[in-house]
Amino acid sequence: MASSPCHSSFPLSPPSSCHGGGLLHLPPRPATSPFACYCRAPAAQRDDNDDDEHDTGILQALASNGNGSVHGGVQLAPRQVVDPGGSEEEEVRRGSRLRARDCAKRIMGLPVEERVKVLDLLQCDDGALTVSDYNDILSALARAGDHDSAVALFRAMRSNGVVPDAQSFAIAVQCLCRKGAPGEAKEALDEMVARGYRPTVSTFSAVVGCLCKRGRVSRAMEVFDTMRAVGCEPTIRTYNSLVGGLCYVGRLEEALDLLNKLKESPKQTPDIYTFTIVLDGFCKVGRTEEATAIFHDAVRNGLSPTIFTYNALLNGHCKEGNPLKAYSLLMEMCGSAACPPDRISFSIVLQALLRAGETSAAWQTYKRMDRAGFEAEGRALDTLARGLCRQCAEDISTLADAKEVFGKLVASGHEPVSYTYCLMAQALARGGEVDAAVSLLGEMVRKGYALRKRAYTDVVRALCDRGRARDALRVLALVIARDFVPGRNAFDALLGELARQGRWPDAMAVYAAAVKRGVLVSLKRHIKEALLLQEQQETRESSVQLSVPR
């Protein structure tokens, strides 16, 4: 686009969001330390003398050499007290200044040599600043990360009649990209080209990348075409940004086509990141088979997959509902020294296996993860502990694994949920560790957790099977004290054991407690079973006595 040296379509008015409303306009100012004056906070935000002294101290720090001395012996102009009842123009001018704290924080973070050079320039009058001086200040602000101030100063230098050169435009474009303003960055780049300046590859690539990150691929293509038209050959970084933008907007076929063209190009060769970007795009839409083909294609081209490549493929398998494929790939990574899995790799596969109910594979993944020195998330440990506890019903040998994960979960500071506590108590009771199960139920009661019927019923049964009717009675009393109504199975187990021991008063008390709470149990059945058992025992004893010779 055509434009005169002093006027262009690039917006000159700074955005209103620059440092909390503070914008860098440069109206006529005194010749003494002008920039220091415009670094002060707006008068409306200075409430007392303490703030005044604090800002003055910051301005002194701005003028220092970094070793405690003041550069060139320059004394800062005394702070002017502005009448709150000033004109509207004065209010607007005060509201358009950069805050001193912001400038101090940015500039004082620069190396000493660069800081002194910039502070020298800040002491000069606006009329004495050349485009080279402005470029030094712009560069310092950009290096300090204050992109808003750099863009505001770029606009202000134009309004002061200083014509930006190629370096000024390049810094402004980079700052606009980093602050997430792709539209303005492209306008500045177009004006730069229209003025006859030739942007560098990094400047073009920054705009292409910024546009692609916002999904504005068509505009990025325009910049790409301009780049080639002015004779600037795109780098693989430029192509990677373009490929990423195509994948971001769902144009996967075009991204794959561009990748294939790069493979055949004599000028640019795709790197592993190009393959990873396309692979990740296919994985995100559930096309993992094609992503796997791209993965093998990258290996055939002599490229070594990075951890990002593997994690993208692992995530694709898991999202597509194939956690066991992801588990197999993870085991391959564990056996390879070239690219071992990281914490994200393990977490992706572990959570997917747990969601699919693949407890055995999840346990092996956790063991590998722990051996590698990574800690699993609390929720994953919680789910794994529950899965292992359920397996105890079929294979009691997994109780040790469940205890290990449960202990790790508690030690990590993540509080297990009530359901996990109950399943752990059931597993302990089934495995014969009844005392530990009773202790766990007591801990649940102390923490105010709800008790599941299956949990305390299994504990009561385990106690009764070992003849510990008194302890079983205490557990049942603990449940009743929590205003829970024990189930029929718990009452039946306890009544049966009390009847076998001949403790009829206790049996009657338990039976009364069950009837009072509406639980239907049969005391007669337990009495008959106890009497039958006693009769059988007496018969066996008499048979033994008859068989012994006098």
Side-chain angles (χ1 to χ4, degrees):
M1 61 183 176
S3 60
S4 63
C6 298
H7 179 74
S8 72
S9 60
F10 183 64
L12 296 177
S13 58
S16 60
S17 60
C18 181
H19 286 284
L23 306 179
L24 186 60
H25 291 287
L26 297 177
R29 321 186 289 238
T32 305
S33 186
F35 195 83
C37 175
Y38 284 92
C39 283
R40 294 173 184 159
Q45 300 185 12
R46 298 194 296 268
D47 298 329
D48 49 43
N49 293 331
D50 292 338
D51 287 340
D52 289 32
E53 294 173 0
H54 181 65
D55 283 356
T56 302
I58 292 177
L59 294 176
Q60 291 284 356
L62 278 172
S64 71
N65 285 323
N67 56 5
S69 61
V70 177
H71 177 70
V74 178
Q75 299 294 327
L76 293 175
R79 192 184 188 105
Q80 298 179 358
V81 179
V82 182
D83 183 9
S87 65
E88 182 178 355
E89 181 181 354
E90 181 65 20
E91 290 292 334
V92 172
R93 192 165 65 91
R94 287 202 309 271
S96 66
R97 298 168 182 168
L98 288 173
R99 297 178 185 277
R101 292 177 182 84
D102 294 332
C103 291
K105 191 181 299 182
R106 300 295 186 183
I107 296 177
M108 297 308 291
L110 295 172
V112 176
E113 296 80 2
E114 188 170 356
R115 185 194 321 160
V116 173
K117 181 179 180 181
V118 172
L119 291 172
D120 278 344
L121 296 174
L122 297 184
Q123 301 298 326
C124 299
D125 183 47
D126 283 349
L129 293 176
T130 64
V131 66
S132 178
D133 298 333
Y134 273 109
N135 288 344
D136 289 335
I137 302 174
L138 286 171
S139 179
L141 290 172
R143 285 168 56 83
D146 196 350
H147 308 303
D148 288 332
S149 298
V151 172
L153 182 61
F154 174 74
R155 291 163 173 155
M157 69 181 282
R158 297 157 63 110
S159 63
N160 287 339
V162 179
V163 180
D165 59 7
Q167 184 181 358
S168 312
F169 274 105
I171 296 172
V173 169
Q174 293 282 356
C175 290
L176 286 167
C177 290
R178 288 173 184 170
K179 68 185 290 238
E184 296 180 61
K186 184 178 183 303
E187 291 178 7
L189 182 69
D190 290 341
E191 182 182 351
M192 183 179 182
V193 174
R195 286 175 177 266
Y197 300 127
R198 179 175 174 175
T200 62
V201 177
S202 61
T203 305
F204 275 116
S205 298
V207 179
V208 171
C210 188
L211 288 167
C212 288
K213 286 178 182 178
R214 299 299 187 279
R216 302 168 69 175
V217 183
S218 299
R219 301 292 298 276
M221 290 287 192
E222 295 175 6
V223 176
F224 186 81
D225 293 338
T226 303
M227 183 178 188
R228 305 191 72 170
V230 299
C232 187
E233 185 63 31
T235 64
I236 193 59
R237 176 191 170 191
T238 316
Y239 281 107
N240 286 348
S241 297
L242 208 52
V243 169
L246 290 170
C247 292
Y248 181 76
V249 297
R251 294 161 63 176
L252 298 176
E253 305 301 336
E254 295 181 49
L256 183 59
D257 185 54
L258 182 56
L259 172 62
N260 292 329
K261 288 181 179 178
L262 282 172
K263 286 161 53 179
E264 300 171 358
S265 172
K267 295 182 179 180
Q268 292 294 339
T269 304
D271 57 12
I272 188 58
Y273 297 104
T274 319
F275 282 94
T276 301
I277 293 168
V278 181
L279 179 149
D280 183 53
F282 277 90
C283 285
K284 285 179 178 176
V285 296
R287 298 168 64 177
T288 314
E289 293 298 328
E290 294 168 85
T292 305
I294 295 171
F295 176 86
H296 293 306
D297 190 18
V299 175
R300 280 194 301 271
N301 278 270
L303 299 174
S304 300
T306 66
I307 191 63
F308 303 105
T309 315
Y310 278 109
N311 286 348
L313 199 54
L314 290 172
N315 205 24
H317 284 308
C318 293
K319 283 188 174 181
E320 202 171 344
N322 296 316
L324 292 179
K325 285 187 177 180
Y327 173 72
S328 300
L329 180 59
L330 182 69
M331 292 302 105
E332 290 180 16
M333 294 173 66
C334 291
S336 171
C339 187
D342 62 359
R343 185 175 182 272
I344 296 176
S345 313
F346 283 112
S347 298
I348 291 171
V349 179
L350 179 61
Q351 292 174 7
L353 290 169
L354 291 171
R355 284 194 300 267
E358 299 288 348
T359 307
S360 298
W363 166 247
Q364 294 300 324
T365 302
Y366 167 73
K367 291 298 292 180
R368 291 270 191 170
M369 185 177 187
D370 188 57
R371 227 172 2 241
F374 300 116
E375 292 187 2
E377 295 180 357
R379 288 183 60 185
L381 287 175
D382 210 337
T383 308
L384 180 59
R386 291 197 296 270
L388 291 171
C389 288
R390 292 191 191 97
Q391 280 193 343
C392 290
E394 302 174 358
D395 182 8
I396 200 62
S397 63
T398 59
L399 177 59
D401 301 337
K403 289 169 59 179
E404 178 183 343
V405 175
F406 187 83
K408 188 82 171 180
L409 174 63
V410 175
S412 68
H414 183 88
E415 185 65 25
V417 298
S418 173
Y419 189 36
T420 308
Y421 269 110
C422 291
L423 289 178
M424 192 70 237
Q426 287 178 248
L428 290 169
R430 290 168 182 165
E433 301 186 24
V434 188
D435 291 326
V438 173
S439 175
L440 203 59
L441 288 180
E443 186 177 352
M444 290 183 65
V445 171
R446 285 192 300 273
K447 293 184 177 182
Y449 286 159
L451 299 174
R452 294 179 71 242
K453 287 185 179 181
R454 287 285 301 275
Y456 60 74
T457 298
D458 285 353
V459 174
V460 168
R461 279 177 174 171
L463 289 168
C464 292
D465 290 343
R466 287 157 180 77
R468 299 171 58 179
R470 188 177 300 278
D471 292 333
L473 194 58
R474 288 174 181 166
V475 171
L476 206 63
L478 184 68
V479 174
I480 293 174
R482 292 282 298 167
D483 293 331
F484 292 117
V485 179
R488 178 179 176 178
N489 293 332
F491 278 114
D492 275 337
L494 186 54
L495 281 172
E497 180 58 27
L498 291 171
R500 281 190 294 273
Q501 294 182 8
R503 297 171 57 180
W504 301 111
D506 291 339
M508 292 299 296
V510 171
Y511 176 74
V515 173
K516 182 180 179 180
R517 285 162 179 80
V519 181
L520 299 178
V521 291
S522 176
L523 182 60
K524 290 182 180 181
R525 178 172 61 85
H526 292 295
I527 294 175
K528 288 181 180 180
E529 291 176 354
L531 292 175
L532 180 60
L533 183 63
Q534 184 178 359
E535 183 180 349
Q536 292 173 351
Q537 185 175 359
E538 290 175 354
T539 303
R540 284 194 299 269
E541 290 176 355
S542 62
S543 300
V544 171
Q545 291 176 359
L546 289 174
S547 63
V548 176
R550 291 173 181 263

